[in-house]
Amino acid sequence: MTSQPRSLDFHPLRADLYQELHSRPFQVLPSRARVTQIALQTTPAQRQSQFRHLQNLHRLLGEHWPEQEVSCYEQDFGPLRIRREVHMEFTTYTFTNLRDSDADPFAETGISLLPDGWLNELEGTVVGAFHVEVRPSSESARNELAFMRKHFEGMRLVGSSPQEGAARILGTFQLHSDHFGRFMVLNHSMSDSQLGRLVQRLMEIETYRLMSLLALPLAREITPALNDMDQQLVNITQSLADNETLDEQKILAELTNIASRIEAFRAHSTFRFSATRAYHRLVLTRLEELREDEVSGHLTLTEFMTRRLTPAVKTCEAVGERLEDLSRRVDRASDMMRTRVELAIQSQNQQLLSSMDRRSRIQLMMQHTVEGFSVVAISYYLIGLLKLALDTLREAGVAFNHSLVLGVAIPVVMVLVFIGIRMIHHRFIKMARRQ
């Protein structure tokens, strides 16, 4: 018997990582089914309310309700199958009517078996809502496009034969009179599992297509403002290139205003544009998985998406790139303006330093003049003190020539005072140079 590795340290998310690949299994569909999918943008509060509403549906149908919300929930209620998938920003509800009926296409839908009024109370903003009619193919159905077209209210059809002709898909990618989209899947040779995977891919293509296009109105809304800011930035940059006399403070205020508006647009649109790119990649991946063959006279789903969806996504990407480009250009223009202001400040500082240098020279010349007067003044006071000392000695009886001593002392004192002041002056100059 193999021993259990009880001593191994397992990651706490290991089980969840294994389960993640199996959290959204494909459905198994018979060749006669009616499927309706509704995709709703939801807030966290609306998502909780939706789960309580799902529990209430179980009560209405007399079934035990789930206690805990999961990312993908599926339950059969006789001929009615309900599937709820929670995504990052939206929730999808898939209602499958498995009742065997020979009614005309779209006469019954996936929501026909729901209790009255339950769907109207479902919270959230509906983005995608469409019916998928699944039925076995026949020679008459495949060859008589008029038979199919009348069930799409005369709208132009888009269709293909996926999986090397094992089925046929028809749709319009438009809203019909009931405000739902419509698709028809005619099964020729697919098993129930293959048919379920095909319908799942088709529903994901339509849902992700609609989610990817949510950014297009935003891109159109932003574009006029970007044009105005672009022209304003061109004028500012041209003025800088022409070396015109500008009001730097006013220009910097304009650049700051442009930068703040760009950041506001980026904060409002970055997530939406990133989500558009992600949804578009998912659409392209699902289209590749269909492996379509062309139906004579009709665009395939891949051709239709490439012609219509891809330009819309490219528009959103172009607006996002333009926002980033404008942000970089504003930064460069701001750097140039700051450089211009710094050069002006340096020029003003240079003029101020030159003025201070001239003042310092004048002060130095005045200081030299004052030094001359200070030598005389200090010498005058020192001679006065010396005269008092000589008078004291003479009164004390010391015999000397008072006038001669005083006369000789005057130039000596003045020379000594001058030398002392110069020594102090040179000492301060050396201290300043060391600093």
Side-chain angles (χ1 to χ4, degrees), residues 125-167:
T125 305
V126 178
V127 178
F130 51 91
H131 304 303
V132 182
E133 178 79 17
V134 182
R135 58 175 50 212
S137 181
S138 63
E139 290 297 329
S140 60
R142 286 204 305 271
N143 295 328
E144 296 178 7
L145 292 178
F147 164 79
M148 304 174 190
R149 192 173 286 113
K150 68 179 182 180
H151 300 296
F152 292 91
E153 301 179 351
M155 298 182 182
R156 179 173 294 180
L157 295 176
V158 177
S160 65
S161 295
Q163 309 299 325
E164 301 177 353

Side-chain angles (χ1 to χ4, degrees), residues 8 75 92 112 118 126 139-140 151 161 188 227 235 251 279 304 349 352 358 364:
L8 293 179
Q75 183 64 42
T92 60
S112 298
W118 181 87
V126 178
E139 290 297 329
S140 60
H151 300 296
S161 295
H188 180 57
N227 293 335
N235 295 335
I251 297 299
Y279 290 132
F304 180 82
N349 291 340
L352 180 60
R358 286 195 300 272
L364 182 60

Side-chain angles (χ1 to χ4, degrees), residues 197-413:
R197 292 196 294 271
L198 175 64
V199 172
Q200 183 70 23
R201 293 189 184 105
L202 179 61
M203 292 190 297
E204 289 177 350
I205 288 171
E206 177 65 354
T207 300
Y208 293 145
R209 174 187 75 91
L210 294 169
M211 293 300 297
S212 67
L213 288 176
L214 285 178
L216 186 58
L218 179 61
R220 290 171 176 167
E221 178 186 347
I222 291 175
T223 298
L226 292 184
N227 293 335
D228 294 339
M229 290 188 290
D230 194 358
Q231 186 59 48
Q232 189 177 0
L233 186 58
V234 167
N235 295 335
I236 293 174
T237 307
Q238 187 62 45
S239 299
L240 291 173
D242 295 339
N243 199 23
E244 296 179 0
T245 301
L246 301 174
D247 185 350
E248 285 85 0
Q249 296 297 329
K250 180 181 178 181
I251 297 299
L252 283 175
E254 291 181 5
L255 289 173
T256 302
N257 179 54
I258 294 174
S260 62
R261 293 176 64 191
I262 291 174
E263 290 303 315
F265 283 137
R266 290 174 67 185
H268 188 54
S269 64
T270 297
F271 170 77
R272 191 72 269 152
F273 289 158
S274 299
T276 290
R277 289 192 293 270
Y279 290 132
H280 183 237
R281 285 193 293 268
L282 288 172
V283 170
L284 296 180
T285 300
R286 299 299 184 269
L287 288 171
E288 290 178 1
E289 293 171 352
L290 287 180
R291 303 202 305 272
E292 295 179 283
D293 290 334
E294 184 177 350
V295 176
S296 178
H298 294 81
L299 288 173
T300 65
L301 274 66
T302 301
E303 290 172 334
F304 180 82
M305 292 294 179
T306 302
R307 184 173 179 268
R308 302 290 180 87
L309 177 62
T310 301
V313 173
K314 292 297 182 183
T315 298
C316 298
E317 292 179 351
V319 172
E321 292 172 359
R322 191 176 179 189
L323 274 172
E324 297 297 327
D325 178 66
L326 268 178
S327 180
R328 291 190 294 268
R329 288 168 57 195
V330 168
D331 289 340
R332 290 197 296 268
S334 299
D335 290 339
M336 287 189 289
M337 281 303 304
R338 282 192 290 268
T339 302
R340 186 184 178 110
V341 171
E342 289 174 359
L343 289 175
I345 293 174
Q346 290 179 4
S347 178
Q348 293 175 359
N349 291 340
Q350 186 66 34
Q351 294 176 2
L352 180 60
L353 290 174
S354 299
S355 176
M356 293 176 62
D357 185 57
R358 286 195 300 272
R359 290 180 182 179
S360 298
R361 291 180 181 177
I362 293 173
Q363 289 177 355
L364 182 60
M365 294 172 63
M366 293 177 63
Q367 182 180 352
H368 289 316
T369 303
V370 170
E371 285 179 2
F373 289 115
S374 64
V375 169
V376 175
I378 294 172
S379 299
Y380 174 78
Y381 287 110
L382 288 177
I383 294 298
L385 292 174
L386 181 60
K387 181 177 181 298
L388 290 175
L390 293 175
D391 289 341
T392 302
L393 290 174
R394 187 173 59 181
E395 290 177 0
V398 178
F400 62 93
N401 190 339
H402 180 273
S403 299
L404 178 62
V405 173
L406 190 60
V408 172
I410 290 174
V412 174
V413 169

Side-chain angles (χ1 to χ4, degrees), residues 44 83 116 187 194 251 308:
R83 180 185 176 103
D116 292 339
N187 182 24
Q194 291 174 323
I251 297 299
R308 302 290 180 87

